[in-house]
Amino acid sequence: MKLPLPLLLLLLLFSATIFAAPSLSPTPSPTISPVPRTSPTPRTSSSPLDPKQLKALESLNIPTVKNPCDHRPSSKKPPTTTVTCDGGSPFRLVTSISFTNCSSDLSISSTALKALTPSLTSLSFLNCPSLSPPPRLPDSLHSFSAVSSFLRRRNGLSGLYLARLVNLTDLTVSSIPVSTSGLFVILGNMHHIVSLSISHANLSGNIPKTFHSNLTFIDLSDNLIKGSIPTSITLLSNLKALNLSSNSISGEIPDSIGDLISLKNLSLSSNKLSGSIPDSISSIPDLTHLDLSGNQLNGTVPRFISKMKSLKYLNLANNAFHGVLPFNASFLKKLEVFKVGGNSDLCYNHTVLSSKMKLGIAPCDKHGLPLSPPPQKEDSSSDYDYNEDDSSEKKKEEHHGPNKVVLGVAIGLSSLVFLIIFLILLAKWCG
């Protein structure tokens, strides 16, 4: 049976339309993340808690109806007190107590703390502003933490009060006034101290000229410390983090800062430091965070910074740097955060860096001077968005050409129309 020529051409056109339709990828099914394996609950000792210590916990308003050592606080209700015990026999002993959001009627007596000695090695207070500090802390403590607590006392904590904790390895005091003639009063006999954090505490005086060599972490930010950075602090070869930001520290950054070969985080922001960035900083191999903003540092920005392979955070904003910024785009894209605004005499090479980066400084003229006055202070609008160019390209790609789904529907409808016409012609021809 031969088909008429018009009908044959219509059939061929319909077939070509069907095969020319773009294939639409099915919507991918959501990736199912593997269910994290929960670590098994640690085996608890069957031994009861020491009777004297049980009585001491009762005096601290800690529930003891159930064994406080085995108590697992509900995830829906944040715990107010957490107790940790050892697995000793015939009696278990309390090793750690953490108070959080304390009630106003809580009182910590020396008698109760004495009954928990010498097993109690860790004691912490978080958000207990109406609580008065214990008259005397146990000498057995290895860790003591107090944050936003003991605010009923105008003077907060005294240096001598903390200095008695000679066995501490970890000391954290934040948002509590600390009254002392100097930090050395607190640290003098803490020969085992490893982590030191006293921040937002109105701590005054100078940085001590000597430190215990065990220190790996120092945070003295947001205080009233003055004077210069002593070279003694650069002898701490195990130090991994040094935060002296928001003080009144003056002078230059010591050249020996590069001796801190274990350092990963260095923050000296919001002080009165002057001079240039010492070349020795390039000798710190694993430095990832460098914040020197808000000082009076001058000179040119060192080129060696771009050679620091581990660096991820760099803030040089609001200083007095001048000259041409010696960084290229590949280095800046490697950084997670880069801020350099607020340096009025600093400019960038517009043939190397794009104005789209919004660095907060002006481009350079042929003499290496700023073409126009840049913003005086660094603000959020001048932060470099490292994904800005990539995201704009993606948007262009996404909006280029018609939507595939709409195109597929249009082709499908046109194919349906061709099919109906074909069936009508076929019916007429057969009839």
Side-chain angles (χ1 to χ4, degrees):
M1 178 179 60
K2 293 184 179 180
L3 296 176
L5 182 60
L7 189 59
L8 181 61
L9 291 176
L10 185 62
L11 181 61
L12 291 174
L13 181 61
F14 172 72
S15 302
T17 305
I18 294 296
F19 288 108
S23 59
L24 299 179
S25 301
T27 304
S29 58
T31 303
I32 301 176
S33 303
V35 178
R37 297 180 61 186
T38 56
S39 55
T41 304
R43 296 178 63 185
T44 57
S45 172
S46 58
S47 303
L49 186 64
D50 179 272
K52 292 182 179 180
Q53 294 198 348
L54 188 64
K55 187 175 181 180
L57 293 181
E58 290 175 348
S59 69
L60 298 175
N61 295 334
I62 298 175
T64 57
V65 177
K66 296 182 179 180
N67 191 339
C69 302
D70 298 332
H71 178 59
R72 297 275 183 262
S74 172
S75 57
K76 296 181 180 179
K77 185 179 180 181
T80 55
T81 306
T82 304
V83 179
T84 305
C85 308
D86 64 11
S89 180
F91 297 113
R92 302 176 70 182
L93 300 175
V94 175
T95 58
S96 171
I97 302 179
S98 176
F99 296 94
T100 304
N101 300 323
C102 308
S103 62
S104 57
D105 58 347
L106 178 62
S107 176
I108 310 293
S109 67
S110 297
T111 304
L113 290 179
K114 188 175 181 180
L116 299 171
T117 307
S119 65
L120 185 66
T121 58
S122 177
L123 184 62
S124 69
F125 300 89
L126 174 60
N127 194 26
C128 298
S130 60
L131 183 66
S132 297
R136 186 180 179 90
L137 294 171
D139 298 337
S140 59
L141 289 180
H142 293 169
S143 175
F144 177 71
S145 175
V147 178
S148 301
S149 301
F150 312 137
L151 300 181
R152 181 181 292 178
R153 290 184 57 176
R154 185 176 180 181
N155 295 328
L157 300 175
S158 71
L160 291 175
Y161 179 86
L162 297 172
R164 297 191 187 102
L165 305 175
V166 295
N167 292 311
L168 281 187
T169 59
D170 186 346
L171 173 61
T172 299
V173 178
S174 181
S175 301
I176 302 173
V178 175
S179 56
T180 181
S181 56
L183 186 59
F184 67 93
V185 174
I186 300 173
L187 299 179
N189 294 318
M190 291 185 183
H191 300 289
H192 308 289
I193 191 74
V194 173
S195 176
L196 171 66
S197 179
I198 304 179
S199 62
H200 194 58
N202 292 336
L203 187 66
S204 59
N206 297 338
I207 300 174
K209 294 183 178 180
T210 58
F211 283 92
H212 300 299
S213 59
N214 304 319
L215 278 164
T216 63
F217 181 92
I218 296 178
D219 181 3
L220 300 176
S221 61
D222 202 4
N223 283 299
L224 305 174
I225 299 174
K226 57 184 180 179
S228 60
I229 301 175
T231 55
S232 60
I233 207 169
T234 65
L235 299 176
L236 302 173
S237 58
N238 296 319
L239 194 66
K240 294 182 178 180
L242 175 61
N243 188 354
L244 302 177
S245 61
S246 301
N247 281 286
S248 297
I249 301 171
S250 57
E252 298 186 356
I253 302 173
D255 291 332
S256 55
I257 195 77
D259 294 339
L260 296 173
I261 56 175
S262 300
L263 203 63
K264 294 185 177 181
N265 186 318
L266 176 61
S267 182
L268 305 176
S269 63
S270 302
N271 279 289
K272 300 177 181 179
L273 295 170
S274 57
S276 58
I277 299 176
D279 294 345
S280 62
I281 286 184
S282 63
S283 303
I284 307 176
D286 298 322
L287 191 65
T288 59
H289 182 112
L290 178 61
D291 190 350
L292 303 177
S293 62
N295 282 287
Q296 300 163 16
L297 297 172
N298 51 46
T300 58
V301 176
R303 187 176 298 274
F304 68 75
I305 293 180
S306 62
K307 306 293 184 182
M308 301 176 71
K309 297 180 179 180
S310 300
L311 199 62
K312 296 297 181 184
Y313 181 105
L314 177 61
N315 192 347
L316 304 175
N318 301 324
N319 278 287
F321 293 115
H322 66 265
V324 182
L325 188 69
F327 303 148
N328 57 29
S330 61
F331 170 70
L332 295 185
K333 287 184 177 181
K334 186 194 74 170
L335 298 174
E336 296 175 0
V337 174
F338 175 63
K339 298 182 181 181
V340 75
N343 290 279
S344 58
D345 294 327
L346 187 67
C347 58
Y348 67 92
N349 187 340
H350 59 86
T351 64
V352 177
L353 298 174
S354 170
S355 60
K356 293 180 180 179
M357 291 183 173
K358 300 179 182 178
L359 298 175
I361 56 176
C364 301
D365 62 13
K366 62 180 181 179
H367 303 292
L369 299 175
L371 277 173
S372 58
Q376 292 300 312
K377 289 293 181 180
E378 176 83 342
D379 55 26
S380 58
S381 64
S382 63
D383 294 351
Y384 174 36
D385 184 357
Y386 303 94
N387 297 318
E388 181 178 354
D389 295 336
D390 295 339
S391 60
S392 62
E393 290 297 328
K394 289 179 180 178
K395 288 179 181 178
K396 289 179 182 178
E397 292 176 3
E398 289 173 358
H399 294 285
H400 179 70
N403 187 286
K404 289 184 177 180
V405 176
V406 176
L407 183 61
V409 171
I411 292 174
L413 289 175
S414 62
S415 301
L416 184 60
V417 172
F418 277 117
L419 181 59
I420 293 172
I421 295 172
F422 169 74
L423 292 175
I424 293 172
L425 291 176
L426 184 62
K428 288 183 177 180
W429 179 77
C430 292

